[in-house]
């Protein structure tokens, strides 16, 4: 048996991370790059000292029930860890880590991209040109909604929300309002031109654009439901770069159809990679395939951060990003 810890990496990762992984670990990397089955995940837990899954691997209580359990640490490739049953991991005595910080800016950039695209009808306009349907400039052609000076409402005010606020306030002169049960310090909010509201409802009622930045937990599942969508301004836009579960996708489809809100920019979906077929047919939505952290630089940084957590753990040192 190799003296180096045995680690299973569930998907292809950037080359620099692969090199680092094979240098430090007896690493098995799923270069096929298709999701591992439940049985394959269980087998990994039975045979490896560490598991490096991604945010799409469902490490459920059933998977974590694998016997005999050899794995001691799950180093998630992602900041979100709703793919892992944290309570079951705790019960099994596992350490779980994530990759915060390194993807904050890229995810904020994608949030702002969605906001601009949906407001200015950029996806629709691009399709129009490619379809050779454009007949030329005219004063009333494809009019969108002005962004500069509008009100951006943030649901959740963690790292990514603050990075969005910074861009929106300092870049587009937007007024920022937010709700978070754990708000930032007043001076931090002030620097972002951000005003705290006492409830999500207040944010929904006042904002022209609502951007979601809360984690996916049982409490936040369908936080944005039909009732809350109806509290938004009729000309309002919803942006989701957080997790699909936070929005009731069927209710969102209904709200868009009925003109309850003006449009949506989505990077995440309730049943990824499936997207409601109704959304695919709507011009007033912009749809990305979970691109938040998808730059080479950031994906390398995420992989390195997950590997760093594994290295620290196997060296008997405190991990950097402990979730459990
Ligand atoms: C994460 O890390 O949670 C992101 O959703 C991946 O882009």
């Amino acid at each position: 048996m190799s003296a180096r810890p045995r680690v299973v990496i569930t998907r292809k990762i950037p080359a620099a991370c692969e090199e680092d992984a094979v240098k430090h670990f007896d690493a098995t990397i799923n270069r096929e790059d298709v999701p591992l089955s439940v049985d394959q995940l269980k087998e990994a837990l039975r045979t490896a000292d560490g598991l490096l899954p991604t945010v799409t691997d469902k490490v459920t209580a059933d998977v974590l029930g694998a016997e005999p359990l050899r794995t001691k640490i799950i180093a998630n490739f992602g900041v979100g860890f709703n793919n892992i049953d944290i309570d079951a991991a705790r019960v099994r005595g596992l350490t779980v880590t994530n990759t915060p910080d390194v993807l904050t800016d890229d995810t904020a950039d994608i949030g702002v991209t969605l906001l601009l695209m949906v407001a200015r009808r950029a996806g629709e306009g691009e399709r129009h040109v490619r379809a050779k349907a454009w007949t030329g400039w005219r004063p009333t052609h494809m009019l969108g909604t002005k962004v500069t000076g509008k009100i951006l409402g943030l649901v959740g005010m963690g790292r990514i929300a603050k990075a969005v606020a910074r861009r929106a306030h300092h870049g587009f002169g937007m007024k920022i309002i937010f709700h978070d049960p754990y708000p930032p310090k007043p001076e931090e909010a002030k620097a972002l031109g951000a005003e705290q509201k006492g409830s999500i409802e207040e944010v929904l009622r006042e904002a022209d654009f609502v951007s979601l930045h809360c984690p996916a937990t049982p409490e936040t599942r369908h936080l944005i439901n039909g009732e809350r969508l109806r509290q938004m301004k009729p000309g309002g836009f919803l942006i989701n770069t957080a997790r699909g579960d936070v929005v009731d996708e069927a209710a969102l489809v209904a709200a868009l159809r009925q003109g309850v809100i003006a449009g949506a920019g989505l990077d995440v979906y309730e049943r990824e990679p499936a997207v409601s077929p109704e959304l695919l047919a709507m011009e007033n939505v912009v749809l990305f395939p979970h691109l938040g952290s998808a730059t080479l630089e950031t994906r390398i940084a995420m992989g390195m951060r997950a590997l760093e957590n594994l290295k620290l753990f196997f060296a008997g040192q405190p991990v950097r990003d402990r979730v459990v």
Side-chain angles (χ1 to χ4, degrees):
M1 198 185 94
S2 162
R4 293 180 307 162
R6 183 149 199 275
V7 168
V8 169
I9 300 176
T10 64
R11 298 300 282 260
K12 200 162 173 280
I13 54 174
C17 303
E18 272 203 27
E19 276 166 33
D20 193 70
V22 296
K23 190 163 143 201
H24 291 91
F25 304 110
D26 173 9
T28 302
I29 302 170
N30 174 17
R31 293 199 176 84
E32 304 266 306
D33 209 18
V34 290
L36 296 186
S37 66
V38 167
D39 285 343
Q40 285 171 317
L41 283 172
K42 285 184 178 172
E43 185 59 11
L45 293 177
R46 282 189 207 104
T47 55
D49 303 298
L51 180 71
L52 193 156
T54 69
V55 295
T56 59
D57 293 305
K58 296 197 182 352
V59 187
T60 60
D62 173 43
V63 167
L64 289 164
E67 290 289 0
L69 181 68
R70 173 166 163 179
T71 296
K72 298 274 181 297
I73 174 168
I74 300 179
N76 209 35
F77 190 115
V79 65
F81 47 86
N82 60 310
N83 56 308
I84 302 171
D85 188 322
I86 291 301
D87 292 334
R90 195 178 283 116
V91 168
R92 302 249 47 199
L94 286 158
T95 294
V96 178
T97 61
N98 67 342
T99 62
D101 307 318
V102 290
L103 47 70
T104 300
D105 284 324
D106 282 358
T107 309
D109 290 348
I110 281 290
V112 173
T113 304
L114 284 169
L115 188 156
L116 290 171
M117 281 185 72
V118 73
R120 299 302 305 274
R121 302 174 64 176
E124 193 184 345
E126 223 245 355
R127 286 189 289 278
H128 188 69
V129 173
R130 285 179 190 273
K132 299 194 168 69
W134 186 34
T135 55
W137 191 92
R138 54 199 190 275
T140 56
H141 182 224
M142 216 170 257
L143 305 184
T145 299
K146 191 176 174 86
V147 169
T148 298
K150 293 284 176 65
I151 303 177
L152 172 63
L154 301 168
V155 176
M157 196 56 164
R159 283 179 292 257
I160 296 170
K162 284 186 245 174
V164 170
R166 198 169 302 121
R167 286 155 173 73
H169 180 66
H170 295 294
F172 302 106
M174 295 182 89
K175 178 182 172 194
I176 313 294
I177 57 175
F178 69 93
H179 175 72
D180 191 315
Y182 306 99
K185 292 200 181 91
E187 56 273 24
E188 203 181 353
K190 198 171 161 215
L192 298 169
E195 183 190 336
Q196 187 183 344
K197 296 287 173 184
S199 67
I200 294 177
E201 284 70 21
E202 271 181 77
V203 171
L204 298 177
R205 274 197 303 271
E206 292 179 29
D208 300 300
F209 298 87
V210 172
S211 187
L212 305 177
H213 298 284
C214 47
T217 63
E219 293 74 38
T220 61
R221 185 177 144 71
H222 287 187
L223 182 78
I224 303 300
N225 53 20
E227 195 184 327
R228 289 214 164 97
L229 286 163
R230 281 189 292 279
Q231 286 165 353
M232 286 177 62
K233 287 185 179 172
F237 294 90
L238 182 74
I239 310 297
N240 190 7
T241 54
R243 281 291 183 266
D245 301 22
V246 177
V247 177
D248 178 345
E249 206 166 291
L252 175 63
V253 166
L256 288 163
R257 266 199 174 146
Q258 294 156 14
V260 170
I261 63 170
L266 307 173
D267 189 39
V268 289
Y269 308 87
E270 225 184 313
R271 286 167 286 275
E272 285 177 29
V275 177
S276 298
E278 296 90 340
L279 291 175
L280 298 175
M282 288 177 182
E283 286 289 10
N284 57 338
V285 296
V286 177
L287 306 170
F288 287 171
H290 204 146
L291 289 181
S293 61
T295 64
L296 180 60
E297 295 92 328
T298 288
R299 288 286 163 84
I300 290 174
M302 290 167 76
M304 290 304 190
R305 188 82 170 237
L307 291 166
E308 183 189 349
N309 281 313
L310 288 171
K311 285 177 217 166
L312 288 169
F313 180 85
F314 290 119
Q317 291 172 29
V319 292
R320 189 164 170 191
D321 309 302
R322 178 183 284 275
V323 173
V324 170

